[in-house]
Short mmCIF file of all heavy atoms in Angstrom, two decimals:
data_model
loop_
_atom_site.label_atom_id
_atom_site.label_comp_id
_atom_site.label_asym_id
_atom_site.label_seq_id
_atom_site.Cartn_x
_atom_site.Cartn_y
_atom_site.Cartn_z
N LEU J 1062 -19.41 18.50 116.98
CA LEU J 1062 -20.04 18.30 115.67
C LEU J 1062 -21.29 17.43 115.74
O LEU J 1062 -22.27 17.67 115.04
CB LEU J 1062 -19.05 17.66 114.69
CG LEU J 1062 -18.04 18.59 114.04
CD1 LEU J 1062 -17.17 17.80 113.09
CD2 LEU J 1062 -18.75 19.72 113.31
N THR J 1063 -21.25 16.42 116.58
CA THR J 1063 -22.42 15.55 116.72
C THR J 1063 -23.61 16.36 117.23
O THR J 1063 -24.71 16.27 116.69
CB THR J 1063 -22.11 14.39 117.69
OG1 THR J 1063 -20.95 13.72 117.23
CG2 THR J 1063 -23.25 13.40 117.75
N ALA J 1064 -23.36 17.18 118.25
CA ALA J 1064 -24.43 18.02 118.79
C ALA J 1064 -24.93 19.00 117.73
O ALA J 1064 -26.14 19.22 117.57
CB ALA J 1064 -23.93 18.77 120.03
N LEU J 1065 -24.00 19.58 116.98
CA LEU J 1065 -24.38 20.56 115.95
C LEU J 1065 -25.25 19.92 114.88
O LEU J 1065 -26.31 20.45 114.51
CB LEU J 1065 -23.13 21.16 115.30
CG LEU J 1065 -23.42 22.09 114.12
CD1 LEU J 1065 -23.97 23.43 114.60
CD2 LEU J 1065 -22.19 22.31 113.26
N LEU J 1066 -24.82 18.77 114.37
CA LEU J 1066 -25.58 18.16 113.27
C LEU J 1066 -26.94 17.65 113.74
O LEU J 1066 -27.89 17.59 112.96
CB LEU J 1066 -24.76 17.05 112.60
CG LEU J 1066 -23.46 17.54 111.93
CD1 LEU J 1066 -22.84 16.42 111.10
CD2 LEU J 1066 -23.67 18.78 111.07
N LYS J 1067 -27.05 17.31 115.03
CA LYS J 1067 -28.35 16.88 115.56
C LYS J 1067 -29.37 18.02 115.55
O LYS J 1067 -30.57 17.76 115.53
CB LYS J 1067 -28.19 16.33 116.99
CG LYS J 1067 -27.71 14.89 117.01
CD LYS J 1067 -27.56 14.35 118.43
CE LYS J 1067 -27.08 12.89 118.39
NZ LYS J 1067 -26.59 12.42 119.69
N THR J 1068 -28.91 19.26 115.57
CA THR J 1068 -29.85 20.40 115.53
C THR J 1068 -30.47 20.57 114.14
O THR J 1068 -31.40 21.34 113.97
CB THR J 1068 -29.17 21.73 115.91
OG1 THR J 1068 -28.21 22.08 114.91
CG2 THR J 1068 -28.49 21.64 117.27
N ARG J 1069 -29.94 19.85 113.15
CA ARG J 1069 -30.43 20.02 111.77
C ARG J 1069 -31.52 19.02 111.39
O ARG J 1069 -31.74 18.73 110.23
CB ARG J 1069 -29.24 19.95 110.79
CG ARG J 1069 -28.23 21.05 111.11
CD ARG J 1069 -27.09 21.08 110.15
NE ARG J 1069 -26.17 22.17 110.50
CZ ARG J 1069 -25.09 22.47 109.80
NH1 ARG J 1069 -24.77 21.77 108.73
NH2 ARG J 1069 -24.31 23.45 110.18
N ARG J 1070 -32.15 18.47 112.38
CA ARG J 1070 -33.29 17.59 112.24
C ARG J 1070 -33.04 16.34 111.39
O ARG J 1070 -33.89 15.94 110.58
CB ARG J 1070 -34.50 18.37 111.70
CG ARG J 1070 -34.88 19.53 112.62
CD ARG J 1070 -35.77 20.56 111.94
NE ARG J 1070 -36.93 19.96 111.30
CZ ARG J 1070 -38.07 19.70 111.92
NH1 ARG J 1070 -38.19 19.95 113.19
NH2 ARG J 1070 -39.08 19.18 111.25
N PRO J 1071 -31.88 15.68 111.56
CA PRO J 1071 -31.66 14.41 110.86
C PRO J 1071 -32.47 13.32 111.53
O PRO J 1071 -32.96 13.48 112.65
CB PRO J 1071 -30.17 14.16 111.06
CG PRO J 1071 -29.88 14.78 112.39
CD PRO J 1071 -30.76 16.00 112.48
N LYS J 1072 -32.62 12.18 110.85
CA LYS J 1072 -33.28 11.03 111.48
C LYS J 1072 -32.33 10.40 112.50
O LYS J 1072 -32.74 10.00 113.58
CB LYS J 1072 -33.67 10.02 110.40
CG LYS J 1072 -34.53 8.89 110.93
CD LYS J 1072 -35.32 8.22 109.81
CE LYS J 1072 -34.41 7.47 108.89
NZ LYS J 1072 -35.08 6.72 107.82
N SER J 1073 -31.05 10.31 112.15
CA SER J 1073 -30.05 9.74 113.07
C SER J 1073 -28.69 10.34 112.78
O SER J 1073 -28.43 10.79 111.66
CB SER J 1073 -29.99 8.22 112.91
OG SER J 1073 -29.45 7.88 111.64
N VAL J 1074 -27.85 10.37 113.81
CA VAL J 1074 -26.46 10.80 113.64
C VAL J 1074 -25.56 9.79 114.36
O VAL J 1074 -25.75 9.53 115.55
CB VAL J 1074 -26.19 12.20 114.24
CG1 VAL J 1074 -24.71 12.56 114.09
CG2 VAL J 1074 -27.05 13.26 113.58
N ARG J 1075 -24.63 9.22 113.59
CA ARG J 1075 -23.64 8.33 114.20
C ARG J 1075 -22.26 8.77 113.74
O ARG J 1075 -22.11 9.56 112.80
CB ARG J 1075 -23.86 6.89 113.76
CG ARG J 1075 -25.06 6.24 114.42
CD ARG J 1075 -25.17 4.79 114.01
NE ARG J 1075 -26.40 4.20 114.50
CZ ARG J 1075 -26.86 3.02 114.10
NH1 ARG J 1075 -26.21 2.32 113.19
NH2 ARG J 1075 -27.98 2.54 114.60
N VAL J 1076 -21.23 8.20 114.41
CA VAL J 1076 -19.84 8.54 114.12
C VAL J 1076 -19.08 7.29 113.69
O VAL J 1076 -19.22 6.23 114.31
CB VAL J 1076 -19.16 9.15 115.37
CG1 VAL J 1076 -17.65 9.25 115.17
CG2 VAL J 1076 -19.77 10.51 115.71
N ALA J 1077 -18.30 7.42 112.62
CA ALA J 1077 -17.32 6.40 112.24
C ALA J 1077 -15.95 7.06 112.28
O ALA J 1077 -15.71 8.05 111.59
CB ALA J 1077 -17.60 5.86 110.84
N ALA J 1078 -15.06 6.53 113.11
CA ALA J 1078 -13.70 7.07 113.21
C ALA J 1078 -12.71 5.95 112.93
O ALA J 1078 -12.86 4.85 113.47
CB ALA J 1078 -13.45 7.65 114.59
N LEU J 1079 -11.73 6.22 112.10
CA LEU J 1079 -10.74 5.17 111.81
C LEU J 1079 -9.92 4.84 113.05
O LEU J 1079 -9.67 3.68 113.33
CB LEU J 1079 -9.81 5.62 110.68
CG LEU J 1079 -8.78 4.54 110.30
CD1 LEU J 1079 -9.45 3.39 109.57
CD2 LEU J 1079 -7.65 5.11 109.47
N LEU J 1080 -9.52 5.88 113.79
CA LEU J 1080 -8.64 5.68 114.93
C LEU J 1080 -9.24 6.30 116.18
O LEU J 1080 -9.99 7.28 116.10
CB LEU J 1080 -7.27 6.33 114.67
CG LEU J 1080 -6.54 5.90 113.39
CD1 LEU J 1080 -5.30 6.76 113.18
CD2 LEU J 1080 -6.19 4.43 113.42
N ASP J 1081 -8.89 5.74 117.32
CA ASP J 1081 -9.39 6.26 118.59
C ASP J 1081 -8.29 6.18 119.65
O ASP J 1081 -7.79 5.11 119.95
CB ASP J 1081 -10.60 5.41 119.04
CG ASP J 1081 -11.30 6.00 120.25
OD1 ASP J 1081 -10.81 7.00 120.80
OD2 ASP J 1081 -12.34 5.45 120.65
N LYS J 1082 -7.92 7.37 120.15
CA LYS J 1082 -6.97 7.44 121.27
C LYS J 1082 -7.79 7.60 122.54
O LYS J 1082 -7.96 8.70 123.05
CB LYS J 1082 -6.06 8.66 121.13
CG LYS J 1082 -4.96 8.58 120.11
CD LYS J 1082 -4.09 9.83 120.24
CE LYS J 1082 -3.19 10.00 119.04
NZ LYS J 1082 -2.50 11.31 119.05
N THR J 1083 -8.30 6.50 123.04
CA THR J 1083 -9.27 6.57 124.15
C THR J 1083 -8.69 7.23 125.40
O THR J 1083 -9.40 7.91 126.13
CB THR J 1083 -9.76 5.16 124.53
OG1 THR J 1083 -8.63 4.30 124.59
CG2 THR J 1083 -10.74 4.63 123.51
N SER J 1084 -7.39 7.05 125.62
CA SER J 1084 -6.77 7.56 126.85
C SER J 1084 -6.72 9.08 126.90
O SER J 1084 -6.48 9.66 127.95
CB SER J 1084 -5.35 7.01 126.99
OG SER J 1084 -4.55 7.47 125.91
N ARG J 1085 -6.95 9.74 125.78
CA ARG J 1085 -6.84 11.19 125.71
C ARG J 1085 -8.19 11.92 125.88
O ARG J 1085 -8.26 13.14 125.83
CB ARG J 1085 -6.27 11.58 124.34
CG ARG J 1085 -4.87 11.06 124.13
CD ARG J 1085 -3.86 12.15 124.28
NE ARG J 1085 -4.24 13.31 123.48
CZ ARG J 1085 -3.81 14.54 123.73
NH1 ARG J 1085 -3.02 14.77 124.75
NH2 ARG J 1085 -4.18 15.53 122.93
N ARG J 1086 -9.27 11.19 126.07
CA ARG J 1086 -10.60 11.77 126.01
C ARG J 1086 -10.87 12.78 127.13
O ARG J 1086 -10.63 12.50 128.29
CB ARG J 1086 -11.65 10.64 126.05
CG ARG J 1086 -13.02 11.02 125.51
CD ARG J 1086 -13.04 11.39 124.06
NE ARG J 1086 -12.33 10.63 123.23
CZ ARG J 1086 -12.35 9.36 122.76
NH1 ARG J 1086 -12.93 8.75 122.83
NH2 ARG J 1086 -11.73 8.63 122.09
N VAL J 1087 -11.34 13.98 126.76
CA VAL J 1087 -11.83 14.94 127.76
C VAL J 1087 -13.32 15.21 127.58
O VAL J 1087 -13.97 15.69 128.49
CB VAL J 1087 -11.04 16.26 127.77
CG1 VAL J 1087 -9.56 16.02 128.02
CG2 VAL J 1087 -11.24 17.05 126.50
N ARG J 1088 -13.84 14.94 126.37
CA ARG J 1088 -15.28 15.08 126.12
C ARG J 1088 -15.79 13.73 125.61
O ARG J 1088 -15.10 13.09 124.80
CB ARG J 1088 -15.57 16.13 125.03
CG ARG J 1088 -15.24 17.54 125.41
CD ARG J 1088 -16.30 18.16 126.32
NE ARG J 1088 -15.76 19.31 127.00
CZ ARG J 1088 -15.80 20.57 126.53
NH1 ARG J 1088 -16.41 20.81 125.39
NH2 ARG J 1088 -15.25 21.54 127.18
N PRO J 1089 -16.96 13.33 126.05
CA PRO J 1089 -17.46 12.02 125.59
C PRO J 1089 -17.83 12.02 124.10
O PRO J 1089 -18.37 12.99 123.59
CB PRO J 1089 -18.70 11.80 126.45
CG PRO J 1089 -19.14 13.16 126.86
CD PRO J 1089 -17.91 14.01 126.95
N VAL J 1090 -17.50 10.93 123.44
CA VAL J 1090 -17.92 10.72 122.05
C VAL J 1090 -18.43 9.29 121.97
O VAL J 1090 -17.74 8.35 122.37
CB VAL J 1090 -16.75 10.89 121.06
CG1 VAL J 1090 -17.18 10.53 119.65
CG2 VAL J 1090 -16.21 12.31 121.10
N ASP J 1091 -19.63 9.14 121.47
CA ASP J 1091 -20.21 7.82 121.31
C ASP J 1091 -20.04 7.41 119.85
O ASP J 1091 -20.87 7.73 119.01
CB ASP J 1091 -21.69 7.88 121.72
CG ASP J 1091 -22.35 6.52 121.62
OD1 ASP J 1091 -21.62 5.51 121.57
OD2 ASP J 1091 -23.59 6.47 121.59
N ALA J 1092 -18.92 6.74 119.55
CA ALA J 1092 -18.63 6.36 118.16
C ALA J 1092 -19.18 4.97 117.88
O ALA J 1092 -18.80 4.00 118.53
CB ALA J 1092 -17.14 6.41 117.89
N ALA J 1093 -20.09 4.88 116.92
CA ALA J 1093 -20.70 3.59 116.58
C ALA J 1093 -19.70 2.67 115.90
O ALA J 1093 -19.77 1.45 116.05
CB ALA J 1093 -21.92 3.83 115.68
N TYR J 1094 -18.78 3.25 115.13
CA TYR J 1094 -17.81 2.46 114.36
C TYR J 1094 -16.41 3.02 114.59
O TYR J 1094 -16.16 4.19 114.32
CB TYR J 1094 -18.14 2.49 112.87
CG TYR J 1094 -19.59 2.14 112.60
CD1 TYR J 1094 -20.53 3.14 112.37
CD2 TYR J 1094 -20.02 0.82 112.63
CE1 TYR J 1094 -21.87 2.83 112.16
CE2 TYR J 1094 -21.34 0.50 112.42
CZ TYR J 1094 -22.26 1.51 112.18
OH TYR J 1094 -23.58 1.19 111.99
N VAL J 1095 -15.52 2.17 115.10
CA VAL J 1095 -14.13 2.57 115.30
C VAL J 1095 -13.23 1.54 114.63
O VAL J 1095 -13.41 0.33 114.83
CB VAL J 1095 -13.79 2.69 116.81
CG1 VAL J 1095 -12.28 2.87 117.01
CG2 VAL J 1095 -14.55 3.85 117.45
N GLY J 1096 -12.28 2.02 113.84
CA GLY J 1096 -11.38 1.11 113.16
C GLY J 1096 -10.40 0.46 114.12
O GLY J 1096 -10.36 -0.77 114.27
N PHE J 1097 -9.63 1.29 114.80
CA PHE J 1097 -8.56 0.80 115.68
C PHE J 1097 -8.41 1.71 116.89
O PHE J 1097 -8.38 2.93 116.73
CB PHE J 1097 -7.21 0.78 114.94
CG PHE J 1097 -7.20 -0.02 113.68
CD1 PHE J 1097 -7.51 0.57 112.46
CD2 PHE J 1097 -6.87 -1.38 113.70
CE1 PHE J 1097 -7.50 -0.16 111.28
CE2 PHE J 1097 -6.86 -2.11 112.52
CZ PHE J 1097 -7.18 -1.51 111.31
#
Side-chain angles (χ1 to χ4, degrees):
L1062 279 181
T1063 305
L1065 174 74
L1066 297 190
K1067 279 180 180 165
T1068 67
R1069 300 183 180 183
R1070 301 162 52 85
K1072 188 158 69 177
S1073 68
V1074 177
R1075 286 183 187 168
V1076 169
L1079 182 72
L1080 306 173
D1081 188 355
K1082 284 186 195 171
T1083 45
S1084 63
R1085 297 256 310 158
R1086 200 63 43 66
V1087 303
R1088 293 282 162 89
V1090 175
D1091 181 18
Y1094 309 100
V1095 170
F1097 304 91

